[in-house]
Amino acid sequence: MSNSVTREVPAPPGATPASAGGGAAPRRRRLSLGGSAGIVAGLVILCGYLAITQPIFLTWGNITNIVLSNSVILLLAIGATFVIIAGGIDLSAASAGTACAMVLGLGLSSGLGAVTALLLTLLAGLLIGVVNGALISYLRISFLVVTLGTLSILESIALVSNQGTTISVFELEAFQGVYHFTLDRIGGVPILMIFDVVVVAAAVLILRYTPFGRSVFAIGSNPEAARLNGINVALTMLGVYVIAGLAAALAGIVQVGRLTAASPAVDSTLLLTVIAAVLIGGTAYTGGEGGVGGTVLGVLFLGVIQNGLTLSEVSTFWRGTVNGLVLIVAVALGVARHSGLFRRRKGKVS
Amino acid sequence: MVGTDPDNESAPPLLSVRGVSKSFPGVRALHDVTLTVRAGEVHALTGENGSGKSTLSKVIGGVHKPDAGHLEIDGVRRSLTGPADALRHGIVMISQELTLAPTLSVAENIYLGRAPRTRWGAVDWAAMRRAARTVLDDLSVHVDETDRVGDLSVELQQEIEIARAVSSDARLLILDEATSSLSEAAAARLLELIAEQSARGIAVLMISHRMPELYACATTATVLRDGSLVATVPLPETPEPELVRLMVGRELGDYYGEREVELGEVVLEARELATDDGALRPTSLTVRRGEIVGVAGLVGSGKAELGLALAGAVAAQGSVQVNGERVGLSSPRKALASGIAFVPDDRKRSALLPVRSVAENFAVSWLGGLSRFGLLRVRDERRQVDRAIRTYGVVTSSAANRISHLSGGNQQKVVLGRVFDLGCDVYVLSEPTRGVDVGAKSDIYRLLHGIVEKGAAVILISSELPELLGMCDRIVVFFEGEIRGEFAGEEMEETRIAEVAVSGGPSLPAAPGTA
């Protein structure tokens, strides 16, 4: 038999016969930001405050600066959104990004062409994703154990790869393409910003409009139900970690472009900022809920706060405190919303 | 604590609920409900899902505060501040969701939060084990007090909950669907425990969808509908059709319904099917188009494993053919592709996507068929979901509602409907009406008739014999991992089936099914 979904089923008990086409109940369109109303409000208030107190805030230069300087975080966070929705977490994300940056740096400095070096970098990200995913879904090792392990391994490999020293690529001919990609603008709009938008759109498409994306939600919500409904759970999980690996490769490329160098040191706060952004954006750490739209808001929220602190000449040492507070408050508000404190309860009586 | 004399009618009742109302935003859950429970009484609280039974039991258990009205305990007006306060008054709730700590021992669970202390303030482990042993022996629960609770069966866990309640000087036990996850035998054992407790003067307020249970234990039934009190009637004097009529507010007619089906050719043939863990021993079974084959047996008899093995959900050996084509047994995906659809017995654990919408819970079964060039055809999906909601009679204000906000019956209609829409040849349904109210049950039975009238075959695995007798053309009975009896037509009698299920049968009727 085929998985045909069109076959009609016998007349229902006590239900009106289904009239094909018409008569669908009026339906509330679900916004992808539906669960993120709080973060949108917070972002608007924050921007309003900064616009009034810091004249420079609303300038195009400052706005693009916020987006560009948070691109690495955004790319990693998009990968992390897939993983967290699927019910896992990828602790190796930041280390993977750094390792991929080193692959690009070494590739360029050893005389490879730009395209070859970039493909090699993406291949490295893919490989990291396959290793993480295969260990987790086929060998059934806990995602915490696997990604904690690869976090440490990748961090160390990045250091070993060039004896712990930074590779400067600024002078290299092959680097110029990457450099212009992260620096240039088309009609005032940075190419990198356009690239970010394209990646976000692709991620939204995959997550919401493909069977794969739906399977990710199903697995995060109830892996056993997903399996019994014919979803290939192991393969889907592998795909999720591959996406995270590719996101790390993109982040590594952008990092090299913006620094004009490949640094082997993993930014110790990067991973936590990425996960915080995903959670602030309304993706549930318990899996099955969330979206890329929310993650974009989460990244922007943290980015704008960071920008505001800089503009207000507050010491950057405070950054972690503010990020931590925002994370706790945002997730607490999200929990409160779900438990119905701020919303009319649904009619669940029985 | 059990001082109240159950025969003394002049004493104030153990519990009086007086004119209690409770609303949640947008929903009036209870309206002016009055109820009296006397010591030693088993009082059934009945009604369809959504009628307010659980809300009422939560008001009594101190979880919800009433908006209007009040409770009286021993004739004294009380305002409970929470479950802990209810517990201090001897009111203990036991629901189908177990509240045990799975990694702790039986004794630790029984004395959770009130462990006996030595004079130095440390936990007195020896005393705790002794006390637990005494309680378990009193109730003749055959389990070692040092066993880890998570390793025990659901049945035993439920009995340990009862042991905990009894040992805490409970005066009123509230059982909210406590038997719904148990097999008939285990439920019977639980009911025995309940009867013993009520004989000792403990009052029991019992919520159950299983009619025979209510008739076996309860002396009074209070019927709720849409949050209001309909009637309080004596049991077992009130006949079942009358009670059902009070619950649903209409005549249900023939509960199980009828179907007009000619049996067709053989569609499913299982040969020497056995699970690797040994729970299902080599079993053969043939099913024809248009047929509903019932599978009876106790928990652990192998009947559940038959379903899992056919669905490709457990490691199994043997051969299964659908329409003469061999079915891959290694994954549910392969079984589905060969035309075998499966609905698991534990809705919450294995069927629902709890945080997702009604629409996504339907569509999770249809992803393959709804996609083209790797993209989901969202408009087709929406159309099919809307049609399925109507076809299967799912009551929900919107397809975007979270499935966990629906009643059990409506959730089950989604779980069944999504596989019925696949147009498979064989439906293996494990406990499809568990935890579902009478109205929804009868809807589900009609859906089953419809699906076999279309030429599919159904394997109905159930712990409820009346359901099997009412629905099936033929019933096979499992005992110790294999089919020990097969009954069709006139031979389908409750006592004969039960005899095989419990003891393996009087004598083996000419090797039915098995080789």
Side-chain angles (χ1 to χ4, degrees):
Chain A
M1 75 125 230
S2 69
N3 258 13
S4 147
V5 291
T6 46
R7 205 184 290 186
E8 275 284 352
V9 173
T16 49
S19 57
R27 162 193 303 277
R28 185 168 51 88
R29 276 241 175 192
R30 287 192 312 147
L31 292 167
S32 59
L33 313 179
S36 321
I39 193 79
V40 172
L43 196 55
V44 168
I45 292 168
L46 186 62
C47 290
Y49 172 77
L50 289 171
I52 293 164
T53 58
Q54 304 291 338
I56 203 177
F57 177 75
L58 269 190
T59 60
W60 179 240
N62 188 54
I63 291 170
T64 51
N65 177 43
I66 293 174
V67 174
L68 297 184
S69 58
N70 284 285
S71 286
V72 169
I73 294 173
L74 177 70
L75 291 167
L76 290 175
I78 288 170
T81 305
F82 279 83
V83 177
I84 294 176
I85 289 175
I89 208 153
D90 182 4
L91 298 176
S92 71
S95 310
T98 301
C100 289
M102 288 307 284
V103 169
L104 182 61
L106 287 171
L108 291 173
S109 64
S110 67
L112 291 179
V115 175
T116 320
L118 288 173
L119 285 179
L120 208 62
T121 310
L122 287 173
L123 193 67
L126 181 91
L127 187 71
I128 292 168
V130 168
V131 169
N132 274 337
L135 290 174
I136 290 163
S137 53
Y138 289 99
L139 294 186
R140 295 166 182 253
I141 307 172
S142 149
F143 58 85
L144 283 176
V145 173
V146 170
T147 61
L148 191 60
T150 49
L151 172 150
S152 177
I153 293 167
L154 291 168
E155 194 171 37
S156 147
I157 286 180
L159 288 168
V160 168
S161 65
N162 199 41
Q163 286 83 47
T165 52
T166 299
I167 309 166
S168 175
V169 292
F170 188 59
E171 306 286 320
L172 298 172
E173 181 66 28
F175 173 67
Q176 297 314 307
V178 178
Y179 186 52
H180 288 296
F181 163 69
T182 51
L183 192 71
D184 284 3
R185 298 177 178 231
I186 299 175
V189 183
I191 296 174
L192 182 53
M193 196 161 144
I194 298 171
F195 177 74
D196 286 343
V197 171
V198 171
V199 172
V200 167
V204 169
L205 183 80
I206 292 171
L207 203 49
R208 291 175 57 83
Y209 298 102
T210 66
F212 169 80
R214 285 298 184 76
S215 303
V216 172
F217 278 106
I219 291 168
S221 183
N222 186 344
E224 179 65 4
R227 184 177 81 102
L228 290 177
N229 276 294
I231 289 171
N232 191 336
V233 176
L235 190 63
T236 307
M237 287 306 282
L238 184 70
V240 163
Y241 282 96
V242 163
I243 286 175
L246 290 174
L250 294 179
I253 293 168
V254 170
Q255 177 86 309
V256 171
R258 285 182 55 79
L259 289 178
T260 67
S263 161
V266 179
D267 174 359
S268 63
T269 63
L270 183 56
L271 173 69
L272 297 180
T273 307
V274 165
I275 293 175
V278 175
L279 299 184
I280 288 169
T283 294
Y285 59 86
T286 44
E289 280 182 285
V292 173
T295 295
V296 171
L297 290 171
V299 172
L300 284 179
F301 196 83
L302 292 180
V304 168
I305 284 184
Q306 161 77 356
N307 183 251
L309 292 177
T310 311
L311 293 179
S312 319
E313 292 171 0
V314 176
S315 160
T316 51
F317 294 155
W318 284 107
R319 181 185 173 182
T321 305
V322 174
N323 283 3
L325 286 174
V326 169
L327 171 65
I328 293 170
V329 170
V331 174
L333 289 180
V335 169
R337 192 173 53 80
H338 277 310
S339 57
L341 282 179
F342 297 147
R343 197 175 46 175
R344 309 182 78 200
R345 252 180 242 192
K346 299 272 179 179
K348 189 184 180 187
V349 189
S350 165
Chain B
M1 291 299 285
V2 196
T4 324
D5 180 359
D7 297 324
N8 186 355
E9 288 288 332
S10 63
L14 176 59
L15 172 79
S16 287
V17 175
R18 301 229 182 252
V20 161
S21 298
K22 175 77 192 172
S23 291
F24 299 106
V27 186
R28 197 170 65 176
L30 288 176
H31 178 65
D32 195 18
V33 173
T34 294
L35 175 79
T36 303
V37 184
R38 297 192 168 274
E41 176 187 27
V42 179
H43 195 122
L45 195 54
T46 63
E48 292 193 279
N49 283 339
S51 60
K53 305 181 300 275
S54 289
T55 308
L56 180 58
S57 72
K58 282 178 183 157
V59 167
I60 297 169
V63 178
H64 293 319
K65 274 199 171 65
D67 299 336
H70 64 271
L71 303 181
E72 287 174 13
I73 296 167
D74 299 325
V76 183
R77 186 170 169 164
R78 301 273 182 196
S79 171
L80 300 175
T81 57
D85 194 26
L87 209 57
R88 271 192 292 280
H89 287 102
I91 299 172
V92 181
M93 283 188 74
I94 298 176
S95 65
Q96 68 190 103
E97 268 111 74
L98 297 167
T99 57
L100 300 171
T103 56
L104 300 184
S105 72
V106 171
E108 282 170 284
N109 268 288
I110 292 176
Y111 288 98
L112 203 61
R114 53 192 179 93
R117 300 298 173 100
T118 64
R119 62 197 155 117
W120 307 107
V123 171
D124 189 342
W125 290 96
M128 183 160 88
R129 276 191 218 111
R130 269 198 309 277
R133 189 66 261 159
T134 314
V135 175
L136 293 170
D137 286 341
D138 274 357
L139 298 175
S140 41
V141 176
H142 301 294
V143 59
D144 196 316
E145 69 276 11
T146 58
D147 283 350
R148 195 171 158 276
V149 160
D151 297 337
L152 303 174
S153 68
V154 181
E155 284 83 13
L156 280 171
Q157 293 188 18
Q158 196 70 276
E159 293 184 7
I160 288 162
E161 287 248 10
I162 303 262
R164 177 159 79 186
V166 169
S167 70
S168 66
D169 292 330
R171 301 174 60 207
L172 173 65
L173 280 179
I174 303 172
L175 299 171
D176 188 352
E177 290 288 337
T179 59
S180 73
S181 54
L182 305 184
S183 72
E184 225 153 70
R189 160 107 190 91
L190 189 66
L191 298 179
E192 245 171 61
L193 287 183
I194 292 168
E196 282 167 24
Q197 295 314 309
S198 84
R200 288 169 47 179
I202 293 178
V204 179
L205 190 63
M206 188 175 164
I207 299 176
S208 173
H209 287 304
R210 292 181 173 177
M211 286 293 177
E213 257 171 42
L214 301 180
Y215 278 86
C217 303
T219 50
T220 315
T222 290
V223 183
L224 296 180
R225 196 195 312 147
D226 299 328
S228 297
L229 183 78
V230 176
T232 296
V233 295
L235 286 186
E237 292 82 354
T238 310
E240 188 170 328
E242 170 67 10
L243 190 61
V244 170
R245 195 187 58 76
L246 289 171
M247 285 162 69
V248 298
R250 63 188 155 99
E251 294 285 348
L252 263 186
D254 184 8
Y255 197 48
Y256 295 108
E258 302 260 321
R259 63 176 175 271
E260 290 283 327
V261 191
E262 287 279 301
L263 295 193
E265 77 272 30
V266 168
V267 59
L268 175 104
E269 193 166 8
R271 270 196 230 110
E272 300 289 305
L273 185 63
T275 55
D276 292 359
D277 62 9
L280 177 69
R281 285 154 57 187
T283 294
S284 301
L285 182 69
T286 333
V287 183
R288 297 166 65 186
R289 286 193 179 278
E291 192 176 26
I292 299 185
V293 176
V295 180
L298 305 179
V299 165
S301 64
K303 74 173 194 296
E305 285 75 13
L306 174 71
L308 293 170
L310 286 171
V314 288
Q317 306 299 322
S319 94
V320 177
Q321 292 190 336
V322 171
N323 295 326
E325 305 245 345
R326 191 160 178 146
V327 178
L329 294 172
S330 58
S331 78
R333 199 157 29 96
K334 288 184 183 159
L336 270 168
S338 313
I340 300 179
F342 175 62
V343 171
D345 54 6
D346 192 333
R347 185 166 59 237
K348 204 173 213 169
R349 217 176 51 109
S350 324
L352 292 181
L353 308 177
V355 296
R356 306 309 301 172
S357 65
V358 172
E360 282 184 59
N361 271 277
F362 266 117
V364 69
S365 295
W366 310 334
L367 293 176
L370 275 175
S371 60
R372 185 181 292 160
F373 310 124
L375 286 182
L376 217 52
R377 288 175 299 167
V378 181
R379 212 167 288 146
D380 290 354
E381 177 194 10
R382 194 166 296 167
R383 209 172 298 137
Q384 192 177 351
V385 167
D386 284 337
R387 198 178 54 214
I389 285 175
R390 277 173 284 138
T391 306
Y392 303 109
V394 178
V395 181
T396 175
S397 58
S398 159
N401 285 347
R402 268 195 191 206
I403 190 103
S404 48
H405 291 144
L406 269 57
S407 70
N410 280 308
Q411 291 177 351
Q412 192 66 13
K413 285 178 191 171
V414 173
V415 167
L416 290 167
R418 70 184 179 197
V419 294
F420 288 168
D421 246 23
L422 291 173
C424 285
D425 298 300
V426 181
Y427 292 95
V428 182
L429 311 177
S430 204
E431 312 288 353
T433 63
R434 175 175 285 177
V436 164
D437 67 56
V438 277
K441 263 187 189 177
S442 130
D443 287 349
I444 287 171
Y445 295 141
R446 265 179 284 185
L447 287 174
L448 292 188
H449 291 310
I451 205 80
V452 294
E453 277 168 0
K454 283 274 165 180
V458 170
I459 295 177
L460 178 60
I461 302 169
S462 176
S463 296
E464 293 189 39
L465 267 183
E467 167 173 294
L468 291 175
L469 294 168
M471 290 300 295
C472 298
D473 299 297
R474 178 158 66 98
I475 297 174
V476 297
V477 189
F478 272 82
F479 181 77
E480 290 183 346
E482 53 193 20
I483 295 176
R484 288 289 185 86
E486 179 165 345
F487 304 91
E490 297 292 293
E491 310 162 343
M492 296 201 299
E493 281 171 28
E494 191 154 354
T495 47
R496 294 177 66 181
I497 293 169
E499 191 178 9
V500 179
V502 171
S503 64
S507 58
L508 291 186
T514 49

